[in-house]
Amino acid sequence: MRREAYGQTMSELPQERRVVTEIPGPISRELHARRLDAVPPGVGSVLPVYVTDAGGGVIVDVDGNSLIDFGSGIAVTSVGNANPKVAEAVAEQAARFTHTCFMVAPYESYVSVCEALNRLTPGDHEKRSILVNSGAEAVENAVKIARYVTGRDAIVAFDHGYHGRTLLTMTLTAKNMPYKHGFGPYAPEVYRMPMAYPFRWPSGPENCGPEAAAQAIDQISKQIGATNVAAVVIEPILGEGGFIEPAPGFLPAIAEFCKANGILFIADEVQTGFARTGDLFACEHEGIVPDLVTTAKGIAGGLPLAGVTGRAEIMDKVHPGGLGGTFGGNPLSCAAALAAIDVIESEKLTERARWIGETMLPRLGALAARDPRVGDVRGRGAMIAIELVKEDGITPNPELTAEIAGRCHANGLLVLTAGTYGNVLRFLPPLVIPEHLLLEGLDILDEAFAG
Ligand SMILES: *Cc1c(COP(=O)(O)O)cnc(C)c1O
């Protein structure tokens, strides 16, 4: 199944790892020096190799190195970088018109992307969607809509959550350094609740779901008052927080509490959406039907686009002109999204994501079994992580995490780190990565742990 099911529109780049210089190589280092005179260090790069081409499962740099991509530009290029169908759709659109502003003179592709979002997101109720530019902007708009419709102020976010870098979404984000430090004061009426983090739950993973839900519900009720809460904003698998899968039962309990109290449930599927977790949306795993869903990253094959999709009766309430933006739903991004969605559906990338998980999890499980520094292996589909710890089996080990990531990079495997404690290695390969590169990447990771 898997071989026929993917890769019909595969990159023409040679699908090989090739390390021909130090990484980063001399030309990348030269470019990096130039960059430091032009770009402030506040904008970082995980691995400053300067890219010339990318596609399938590889990224090629200016020095001629070809790296295996376990990052997908942070879960964005799920259909592969420069996927031929996406590239063709964008080129065609660019030759016709590049912008009119949907709020000035509209065009069909915006409507088609919204129809696709309404069709594909969880729940068979009537839906509406708006398009914006980034994940953060989608979350901002979901909160605006929730406050408008409920007439309430309070927004609930969770420990280890990440929702973006704008004032409101930085406030919703849990982690101080680097996202919030020095950037306050923060937006008002944001409250943070416990997250069901199985690996670090004091009474053990088996109690985590119900206990965390009970704590969160008690705190919402007693500290904020349920009738003051407009919405909860939650990632169905936490992204930057370290691919924490909320313990079973936690999300359904929160969703049920929301429903009973007129609180809108906003699923932030910016990182988890569009087949990444082996379902089209991660909420489907426990049958959650959110009131509002935010999408971005994997939606448009690398072009900037984001969406808010919600129940028609919620979305239709906001007054005309209350929502929008100059670039939101740009025609190039819409053309890319329609092509990417077509690839995801016709090439069965949810199945492909599941196969990636089924391939990675046993390999990482074996690594954890022989190396006690791997404390936890988790994730679903092509959103997989390992959490690294010290000898006691629980204390976070961010130093080792950085060291392993560095060894992977030096050997031509691009991996990302994550987590509140900086001790998580996360893997987000393009869903179209060829099998031999996925396996070679896992070999490199094994070698990095072997020292
Ligand atoms: C990346 C991310 C965002 C922010 O998206 P941007 O496009 O970077 O603004 C919001 N929520 C989640 C869950 C994310 O992973």
Side-chain angles (χ1 to χ4, degrees):
M1 167 192 77
R2 61 181 184 259
R3 280 185 187 77
E4 305 85 279
Y6 85 98
Q8 291 145 28
T9 54
M10 194 56 161
S11 168
E12 284 175 14
L13 275 185
Q15 295 298 301
E16 63 178 14
R17 178 175 66 107
R18 193 175 64 238
V19 178
V20 295
T21 68
E22 263 182 273
I23 291 185
I27 306 176
S28 277
R29 290 202 300 269
E30 224 172 274
L31 281 168
H32 199 65
R34 196 175 123 202
R35 164 213 178 121
L36 292 178
D37 285 335
V39 183
V43 183
S45 294
V46 172
L47 178 57
V49 295
Y50 285 72
V51 178
T52 58
D53 300 272
V58 297
I59 291 178
V60 176
D61 74 14
V62 285
D63 291 287
N65 300 298
S66 174
L67 286 81
I68 300 175
D69 182 11
F70 271 16
S72 300
I74 318 185
V76 169
T77 53
S78 297
V79 298
N81 227 307
N83 180 291
K85 279 190 187 162
V86 172
E88 193 186 326
V90 171
E92 227 167 73
Q93 180 59 47
R96 299 182 75 91
F97 64 93
T98 50
H99 176 83
T100 57
C101 185
F102 191 74
M103 302 183 306
V104 174
Y107 37 89
E108 183 184 358
S109 57
Y110 185 116
V111 180
S112 302
V113 173
C114 292
E115 287 169 347
L117 282 166
N118 298 345
R119 173 171 64 86
L120 297 171
T121 49
D124 50 17
H125 51 281
E126 202 177 333
K127 296 173 207 155
R128 304 280 188 267
S129 293
I130 63 165
L131 301 179
V132 291
N133 301 295
S134 68
E137 202 185 346
V139 174
E140 292 254 353
N141 275 279
V143 169
K144 276 167 67 173
I145 294 164
R147 283 179 167 156
Y148 189 102
V149 169
T150 59
R152 305 173 179 183
D153 294 332
I155 304 294
V156 168
F158 290 84
D159 285 340
H160 310 290
Y162 179 87
H163 301 287
R165 292 173 179 269
T166 58
L167 177 60
L168 175 60
T169 59
M170 156 181 86
T171 307
L172 291 167
T173 292
K175 191 176 176 179
N176 175 54
M177 192 57 105
Y179 305 123
K180 305 171 80 162
H181 186 77
F183 297 140
Y186 308 109
E189 289 302 320
V190 170
Y191 300 85
R192 191 167 310 287
M193 295 298 148
M195 166 50 61
Y197 187 168
F199 179 62
R200 297 194 172 276
W201 195 254
S203 59
E206 51 302 337
N207 303 315
C208 179
E211 284 183 13
Q215 276 186 21
I217 288 167
D218 183 62
Q219 289 181 28
I220 293 169
S221 308
K222 298 304 168 207
Q223 296 179 16
I224 318 170
T227 55
N228 297 315
V229 180
V232 306
V233 184
I234 193 161
E235 299 160 271
I237 296 179
L238 280 70
E240 306 304 300
F243 291 10
I244 302 161
E245 289 176 271
F250 181 75
L251 292 174
I254 298 293
E256 198 179 311
F257 173 77
C258 287
K259 197 168 177 198
N261 290 281
I263 299 168
L264 299 184
F265 187 101
I266 302 174
D268 183 352
E269 293 250 16
V270 165
Q271 191 155 157
T272 48
F274 287 99
R276 175 56 53 186
T277 64
D279 290 305
L280 214 38
F281 292 93
C283 273
E284 293 168 36
H285 188 70
E286 286 190 284
I288 307 282
V289 178
D291 299 301
L292 295 162
V293 186
T294 55
T295 51
K297 293 192 165 94
I299 190 176
L303 272 84
L305 187 71
V308 183
T309 302
R311 296 182 184 279
E313 65 272 21
I314 294 171
M315 299 292 284
D316 282 345
K317 279 225 172 79
V318 178
H319 55 270
L323 304 171
T326 305
F327 286 120
N330 172 270
L332 303 183
S333 297
C334 287
L338 293 173
I341 291 167
D342 177 51
V343 170
I344 289 168
E345 291 196 286
S346 65
E347 301 185 16
K348 299 188 174 67
L349 293 191
T350 49
E351 285 175 26
R352 180 72 186 165
R354 260 178 251 153
W355 172 79
I356 289 173
E358 284 160 15
T359 304
M360 295 189 82
L361 286 170
R363 286 284 303 266
L364 297 170
L367 173 64
R370 66 175 182 269
D371 194 328
R373 299 173 298 174
V374 180
D376 195 24
V377 177
R378 59 182 180 242
R380 294 203 298 268
M383 187 168 183
I384 302 291
I386 54 179
E387 178 161 352
L388 306 190
V389 293
K390 303 208 163 146
E391 292 81 67
D392 63 0
I394 191 77
T395 304
N397 198 339
E399 302 82 11
L400 176 69
T401 309
E403 194 182 316
I404 299 284
R407 281 187 203 151
C408 290
H409 295 166
N411 286 317
L413 172 67
L414 178 48
V415 295
L416 308 176
T417 59
T420 297
Y421 311 103
N423 68 326
V424 175
L425 282 168
R426 58 169 158 168
F427 312 116
L428 292 160
L431 305 183
V432 297
I433 190 172
E435 180 171 6
H436 72 276
L437 289 181
L438 184 68
L439 299 177
E440 195 177 347
L442 289 165
D443 292 341
I444 293 169
L445 187 70
D446 280 346
E447 286 163 25
F449 274 93

